[in-house]
Amino acid sequence: MHSELSRLVGAEHVLRAPVESPYNRDSSRRRGLEGRAEAVVLPGSAEQVAEVVRWCYAHDVPIVARGGGTGLTGGAVPTGGGVVCSLERLRRVRELDPALWRMLPEAGVSTRHVQRLARENGLFFGPDPGAAEQSQIGGNVATNAGGPHALKYGVTGAWVAGLEVVLAPGELVEVGGWAGKDVAGYDIKSLLIGSEGTLGVITAVRLRLLPAPEAAQALVVFLRTRAEGCAAIAAVRAAGLRPSVLDFVDGETLAMLADAYPGARGGERADGARLRAQAGFALIAEVDGTRAEAQAQRRALLELLAGAALAVDEPADAQALWRWRDGINGVVTGVRGAKVSEDVVFPVERLAEGLERFEQIAARHGLRSCAWGHGGDGNVHATVLVDPSSESELDAAEAVGEELFALVVELGGSVAGEHGMGWLKRGRLQQQWSPRAVQLHEQIKRAFDPKGLLNPETKLAR
Ligand SMILES: Cc1cc2nc3c(=O)[nH]c(=O)nc-3n(C[C@H](O)[C@H](O)[C@H](O)COP(=O)(O)OP(=O)(O)OC[C@H]3O[C@@H](n4cnc5c(N)ncnc54)[C@H](O)[C@@H]3O)c2cc1C
C-alpha cells in the first residue's frame, strides 16, 4: 500500500501512523477515541486527492478525509482503519475578488486565514467556530460548522456558492458556482455540506462573502435565574432585534469562570465575587452593522434587558471577552479532570425546559452539570463533569447522554447542532428522523458511495 500511494503523491507525503500519531485522533480524544490508520496520505493537489481516492476505491480501502482534526465527534478518526487523506497541503487561495465579495480557498486553508483575508479586504466571513487557527475551511464545510455569529449570519453552508469535490470512484467534480441564482438541478452542493467526509472529499470551496460591518459592540447581561435568562432570549426575538450573537452561560458555568471575567478586576458593575454569588445566567450579546445601526440595536437591547438584569457590562476590550468565552472548555474540563459535553439543540421556546430537565437528569445520575452555548439558536453544549479515572462516572455520563438525546427529540430539537455526528453519535439520526427519511438518507449515501468506503463508520447506522 505505502509504495503504491507513494507513487501517487511522493514517498515523503505518505506517513505511517503509529499508535501515538495525531492522525489517529481528533479533538474528541478526551473521550478516549483512537483509531488506527494503515497509512496517512498528504496529497499536494486536488488531482492527487482524486488519484488517492481512485486507488483506495479500486482496492476496497476505506478513506477518511481529514481537515484540522478539531472535530469533537470523532469524524476524522480512522476507527475502521484504512487511509487518512489529510488536506493540509491544499493551502492555496485560488481566487480573491473583493469587488465581487468572493474567495476560493482550497480545502486546507485554515478558518482563521479565511477570516483574516476577508477582513484585510474589507469583507467578512461569518462562521467562527472556536478552533479557527487549526480547523480548515474544508472541515468547516464538511461539518457545516457554526459558532456564535451563526445567529445572524448562518452556518458555514450559508456562505458556500460551490464546491470542488472528489467523488467516488475518484473523479474531480464541480458543484454549484458563482451564478447568483441556480435552481437548475437538485441541490447536490447542499448534500455535500455537512456530509462529514461520507459522500466525497472536498478540495476547494467557493465562498460568497459580505462587506465587513462598520461597527460591533458586545454586551454581557447578568441575570438572576435561568428562567429570566431564557425569557430574555425570547424577548429579544419578539422585539424584532437582530443581534449578531446571543450566547449564554448558565449559573454553574459562570461560577467556574467568574474570577477570570475580564470585567471582574475592579469593575463595579460586573464585580466577580458578586456575580458568582448572585448571577444564575449570563447572556453574551453582540450588535453590529453601520455605526448608527449598531448603536440603535445596542440601545434597544439595553432598554429591553437592563431592567431585569443584575448587571450589564459593555466591555471595552471585546477580544478579552471572547478569550474568556473561548476559555470555557479548558476551565470546565479542569474542574474534575474531564467533561462529557454534548452539542444539542432545543427549540428556542423550550430552551428553559430543556436546560432544567438536563440538569435534573445529570443530578439523578449523581453528576454535576453545566451548560453554555448559542442561546439565540437554542444550541446547547450540555456538559457533565467527570473524574476520568472513574469507570462508574463515565458510565453515568453515557447514561445522561442517552436520556438527553431522548429529551431533545421529545422537545422537537436536534441531536447535533454544529459539531456533526461523527463516530460518537453515529446511528442517532434514527432517534430524530422517521424511518422513511432515514432510508432516503442511506440511499443517498449509496448513490454517492456504492462501496461504502468514504468514512464508513461516521454519521450513519451503528
Ligand atoms: C476548542 C474547540 C471549539 C470549537 N468550537 C466550535 C464552534 O463554536 N462551532 C462549531 O461548529 N464547531 C466547533 N468546534 C468543532 C470543530 O472545530 C468544527 O467541527 C470544525 O469545522 C472541524 O474542522 P476540521 O478542519 O478540524 O475538521 P476535522 O476535525 O479534521 O474533520 C471533521 C469531519 O469533517 C470531515 N472532513 C474534514 N475535511 C474534509 C474535506 N476536505 N472533505 C470532506 N470531509 C472532510 C472529516 O472526515 C470529519 O468527518 C470546536 C472545536 C474545538 C476543539
Side-chain angles (χ1 to χ4, degrees):
M1 175 187 283
H2 284 80
S3 62
E4 291 185 45
L5 291 168
S6 295
R7 257 195 298 109
L8 302 179
V9 299
E12 68 276 32
H13 302 308
V14 181
L15 314 177
R16 295 189 189 275
V19 177
E20 68 279 10
S21 165
Y23 292 99
N24 287 326
R25 313 182 201 128
D26 67 2
S27 292
S28 66
R29 66 183 173 280
R30 291 183 207 99
R31 292 176 68 170
L33 187 63
E34 185 105 27
R36 191 69 201 270
E38 287 154 61
V40 180
V41 186
L42 281 51
S45 67
E47 291 72 21
Q48 286 189 355
V49 175
E51 287 184 45
V52 170
V53 171
R54 204 172 305 133
W55 185 90
C56 289
Y57 228 76
H59 293 84
D60 293 331
V61 175
I63 307 139
V64 178
R66 183 182 178 89
T70 67
L72 293 166
T73 55
V77 178
T79 46
V83 163
V84 167
C85 178
S86 172
L87 281 299
E88 66 198 63
R89 291 179 61 224
L90 269 68
R91 262 186 298 198
R92 213 155 53 82
V93 176
R94 292 188 198 159
E95 286 178 43
L96 172 63
D97 195 334
L100 287 170
W101 310 353
R102 290 175 186 167
M103 192 191 301
L104 202 172
E106 292 185 330
V109 175
S110 77
T111 316
R112 182 70 80 225
H113 190 60
V114 170
Q115 292 167 338
R116 204 176 289 136
L117 211 53
R119 282 270 172 202
E120 285 168 5
N121 287 278
L123 297 171
F124 174 63
F125 176 62
D128 53 350
E133 293 291 345
Q134 297 87 40
S135 68
Q136 300 176 359
I137 190 68
N140 298 156
V141 174
T143 52
N144 206 359
H149 287 83
L151 177 68
K152 180 171 176 183
Y153 292 106
V155 291
T156 304
W159 298 73
V160 175
L163 294 173
E164 181 190 82
V165 59
V166 175
L167 299 177
E171 201 176 328
L172 195 58
V173 173
E174 285 267 357
V175 290
W178 291 135
K181 289 169 112 180
D182 178 4
V183 295
Y186 295 143
D187 194 353
I188 293 177
K189 175 195 76 180
S190 292
L191 281 177
L192 288 157
I193 294 167
S195 65
E196 301 182 57
T198 62
L199 301 184
V201 182
I202 296 158
T203 51
V205 184
R206 289 178 195 270
L207 292 174
R208 218 179 259 129
L209 307 170
L210 285 177
E214 191 187 5
Q217 171 70 49
L219 291 91
V220 187
V221 181
F222 295 92
L223 295 134
R224 282 178 191 78
T225 64
R226 175 167 50 215
E228 282 181 15
C230 293
I233 291 172
V236 169
R237 183 172 293 221
L241 300 179
R242 288 202 72 203
S244 47
V245 175
L246 194 56
D247 275 14
F248 79 93
V249 178
D250 79 352
E252 278 289 329
T253 313
L254 207 49
M256 296 177 227
L257 281 146
D259 285 340
Y261 182 74
R265 282 178 296 277
E268 256 181 40
R269 288 180 308 171
D271 173 84
R274 191 166 73 89
L275 294 175
R276 199 171 54 244
Q278 296 177 356
F281 209 83
L283 293 179
I284 304 172
E286 187 191 88
V287 290
D288 71 355
T290 61
R291 254 171 238 297
E293 281 164 357
Q295 271 311 321
Q297 291 268 322
R298 172 189 161 271
R299 270 195 306 275
L301 265 187
L302 285 173
E303 265 169 36
L304 189 70
L305 302 178
L310 260 179
V312 178
D313 193 29
E314 295 187 74
D317 183 357
Q319 302 285 354
L321 175 70
W322 288 114
R323 275 197 300 279
W324 176 75
R325 161 69 179 80
D326 289 344
I328 292 179
N329 255 307
V331 171
V332 172
T333 303
V335 172
R336 298 216 57 233
K339 66 174 171 56
V340 177
S341 205
E342 301 291 3
D343 159 50
V344 296
V345 186
F346 296 111
V348 73
E349 71 280 11
R350 305 197 80 172
L351 182 60
E353 181 185 357
L355 290 173
E356 187 177 341
R357 286 176 64 184
F358 165 64
E359 187 183 71
Q360 289 164 357
I361 292 168
R364 204 164 2 88
H365 287 277
L367 294 178
R368 184 174 167 193
S369 67
C370 62
W372 66 92
H374 313 304
D377 287 322
N379 187 184
V380 174
H381 302 320
T383 302
V384 289
L385 312 187
V386 291
D387 170 353
S389 65
S390 163
E391 279 301 319
S392 64
E393 287 193 19
L394 292 170
D395 288 346
E398 286 300 314
V400 170
E402 286 302 328
E403 288 191 42
L404 170 66
F405 292 124
L407 171 65
V408 160
V409 173
E410 180 198 323
L411 297 187
S414 174
V415 297
E418 56 175 14
H419 296 166
M421 300 291 270
W423 186 88
L424 290 170
K425 290 185 183 175
R426 71 200 187 286
R428 289 214 177 272
L429 193 61
Q430 282 87 327
Q431 276 179 273
Q432 190 179 318
W433 282 17
S434 71
R436 179 67 187 113
V438 172
Q439 187 189 39
L440 209 50
H441 198 267
E442 286 167 353
Q443 284 167 345
I444 289 167
K445 164 70 174 171
R446 277 198 293 280
F448 276 85
D449 179 18
K451 286 189 173 185
L453 293 173
L454 294 170
N455 221 351
E457 303 212 341
T458 286
K459 206 171 181 84
L460 300 151
R462 276 174 206 260

